Amino acid sequence: MGWRALRLALERDALMKAQARALLEAAAGRTLHVMFPMVSEPWEYEEAHTLFEKQRAWLAGRGKMGPSAVRYGAMLEVPALAEVLDKLLPQIDFLSIGTNDLTQFLFAADRANPRLAERYDWLSPAILRFLARVTKECQAAGVPVCVCGEMGGRALEAMTILGLGVDRLSITPAAVGPVKAMIRSLDLGALQQCLPAWLAEGPRDLRQRLSGWAAEQGVAID
């Protein structure tokens, strides 16, 4: 909600140039994945991409070895970006959805505020419909999509994300075991048959419905 991340970097491009050169040199001979955070509109991504490519050419012009390839992506945290994905997706190699910031921006609710933290649920129809729409658009464009944030590290939430069609999760090491156990016990096809109807209905108790379905199916979500 403020002047940070890519917004700051584009205005203080000397800092971003130094970061770009460090990343490019560190990835010499290998594939480098670069993801720009807090992208709100395609032009911000385009400016950041141009800056990186200029630093790549600068290093090459001085005989320094750079990456064998660079894959560029964007973090979708600002809801506005979802409305212009058709302009962004042809330019990127991957998209990551940052659920922590995205949730508070969608609900206009500070997740650090104890009076609001429990009020808005990751498994609400609003969040899940948003994720489903973005995922579908990425799949249609052939752009890999990942979910990054605490949502993907919780077994029930991760189960639901997989049901929406996302097959890549960025989670903490501590969450790997529980999420793996959930995946091994999950009939993904069965979940994908149920989810569209639940999202269309938009029940207030969607978390309870998902939890009940998981218990009935023997999915490990504890």
Side-chain angles (χ1 to χ4, degrees):
M1 298 277 288
W3 188 56
R4 63 185 178 93
L6 190 61
R7 298 167 179 177
L8 185 154
L10 289 176
E11 289 196 33
R12 294 187 173 177
D13 60 353
L15 174 62
M16 193 172 181
K17 288 176 182 178
Q19 292 175 330
R21 291 175 191 173
L23 287 169
L24 291 163
E25 288 192 78
R30 302 186 301 276
T31 298
L32 174 64
H33 291 75
V34 178
M35 181 169 63
F36 301 116
M38 288 290 291
V39 179
S40 302
E41 298 186 83
W43 69 262
E44 294 175 324
Y45 168 83
E46 292 160 7
E47 287 194 9
H49 178 271
T50 298
L51 185 149
F52 250 79
E53 284 297 301
K54 285 183 177 178
Q55 299 316 302
R56 190 178 180 188
W58 186 89
L59 290 173
R62 284 154 181 77
K64 295 187 177 183
M65 185 178 181
S68 56
V70 181
R71 290 175 53 81
Y72 291 99
M75 176 76 84
L76 195 163
E77 302 157 276
V78 182
L81 188 62
E83 301 304 320
V84 285
L85 277 182
D86 60 315
K87 303 298 183 183
L88 179 70
L89 290 176
Q91 304 181 63
I92 62 177
D93 298 303
F94 62 94
L95 183 78
S96 184
I97 305 173
T99 53
N100 290 358
D101 276 341
L102 176 64
T103 301
Q104 67 175 353
F105 296 156
L106 278 173
F107 285 123
D110 183 359
R111 56 193 169 99
N113 186 327
R115 299 187 68 174
L116 296 174
E118 299 300 322
R119 183 168 181 171
Y120 299 107
D121 189 358
W122 273 323
L123 296 183
S124 73
I127 294 291
L128 297 183
R129 285 182 178 185
F130 186 95
L131 295 180
R133 178 164 62 93
V134 170
T135 300
K136 184 177 180 180
E137 195 164 347
C138 288
Q139 290 173 338
V143 175
V145 60
C146 170
V147 163
C148 175
E150 295 175 39
M151 184 178 181
R154 299 184 180 186
L156 184 62
E157 282 83 346
M159 178 194 82
T160 308
I161 292 169
L162 295 173
L164 296 176
V166 177
D167 58 6
R168 302 180 185 210
L169 304 174
S170 175
I171 60 179
T172 63
V176 170
V179 171
K180 274 190 173 183
M182 178 275 296
I183 291 172
R184 291 192 183 107
S185 61
L186 174 65
D187 182 345
L188 185 57
L191 177 60
Q192 290 176 330
Q193 287 182 347
C194 297
L195 260 181
W198 293 340
L199 293 182
E201 180 185 347
R204 183 174 179 178
D205 65 342
L206 187 50
R207 173 176 289 275
Q208 285 71 31
R209 193 167 300 190
L210 287 161
S211 181
W213 182 90
E216 291 173 3
Q217 298 290 320
V219 182
I221 59 169
D222 295 330

